[in-house]
Amino acid sequence: MSDKYKIIISGEGGQGILSIAKITAKSAWNQGKKVTYVPYFSTEKRGGVSSAFVQISDEHIPFPKFMKSDLWVALSQRAIDRIYPFLKDDSVVIVNSHLVKDLSKIKKWKPYSFEFTELAKEKFDEPRTFNMIIMGAMLHFIPDVSPEGFAKSIEKTFADKYEKRPELRELNQKAFELGQELIENSK
């Protein structure tokens, strides 16, 4: 990775935006990368606007703020208007079409649009696994970050939950792999 790779994840509070960003940052950090992670959320916990900014690099990152992203994950319609200015011509855009219905403003980026929430319900009978599907999809575009690195970060993040519900480990792994497959099959 010769330059910084900049990621924005945005949506509504309660969707796991900050968790996705933190796991992504930890994954890169655990693989020897320099990382910044900057969460942003409104005062409401659920339903408020939530975004997180992640930078990954081989070099020191002197300033955590950036104005243009390489990868943007939008999980709600309101996120489109808020984060739209952070897109550059070659940004990759991933959208959860469950809550993002109007793609007209971002169609030039040819977003990867999937019903992540519905897929989680249908395939795994566990709606919250949609975050794992999203992270699997994101991995395809993040340079020098491996699936194994993500798996270690996910394992550490959810260790308490896995202890209480061991079946979640396999469920999350399958959801993560589904996300990877979605992107591979859409190319």
Side-chain angles (χ1 to χ4, degrees):
M1 179 181 303
S2 59
D3 203 8
K4 294 175 206 72
Y5 193 78
K6 300 168 184 124
I7 305 166
I8 300 174
I9 301 111
S10 59
E12 308 292 318
Q15 287 184 302
I17 307 299
L18 304 182
S19 295
I20 293 169
K22 191 182 269 188
I23 290 168
T24 301
K26 282 183 180 180
S27 299
W29 175 262
N30 289 336
Q31 293 177 65
K33 302 295 178 190
K34 308 292 187 217
V35 178
T36 61
Y37 158 70
V38 179
Y40 168 81
F41 46 92
S42 61
T43 55
E44 308 97 44
K45 290 194 184 242
R46 290 199 179 270
V49 175
S50 182
S51 298
F53 299 75
V54 176
Q55 286 186 78
I56 302 170
S57 180
D58 287 328
E59 305 298 323
H60 173 72
I61 302 169
F63 191 65
K65 188 174 181 181
F66 57 85
M67 298 309 297
K68 299 294 178 186
S69 65
D70 297 299
L71 174 61
W72 174 36
V73 179
L75 302 183
S76 75
Q77 194 67 49
R78 288 194 306 170
I80 302 291
D81 293 330
R82 292 240 170 164
I83 303 300
Y84 177 79
F86 288 88
L87 293 174
K88 57 184 184 170
D89 287 341
D90 63 346
S91 293
V92 172
V93 178
I94 299 174
V95 172
N96 183 2
S97 61
H98 181 72
L99 292 178
V100 180
K101 302 296 184 190
D102 181 6
L103 300 176
S104 60
K105 194 169 189 175
I106 58 171
K107 69 180 176 186
K108 113 175 194 179
W109 285 274
K110 298 178 182 150
Y112 293 90
S113 179
F114 300 102
E115 272 276 1
F116 291 111
T117 308
E118 288 304 312
L119 282 167
K121 287 178 191 173
E122 289 171 15
K123 301 264 186 193
F124 307 111
D125 199 28
E126 182 71 51
R128 289 198 255 172
T129 58
F130 86 96
N131 287 333
M132 294 299 154
I133 302 170
I134 289 166
M135 284 189 282
M138 289 172 59
L139 176 66
H140 186 82
F141 302 102
I142 303 172
D144 303 330
V145 177
S146 71
E148 297 78 24
F150 258 102
K152 285 179 186 175
S153 294
I154 290 167
E155 181 71 30
K156 192 169 186 174
T157 301
F158 295 108
D160 291 344
K161 289 184 182 186
Y162 290 166
E163 192 172 306
K164 292 174 188 166
R165 288 187 58 202
E167 70 277 7
L168 284 179
R169 180 179 284 112
E170 185 178 347
L171 205 60
N172 281 344
Q173 181 60 37
K174 287 180 179 178
F176 188 82
E177 290 168 1
L178 175 61
Q180 292 175 292
E181 290 169 19
L182 288 172
I183 298 298
E184 304 254 338
N185 294 336
S186 67
K187 292 223 163 221

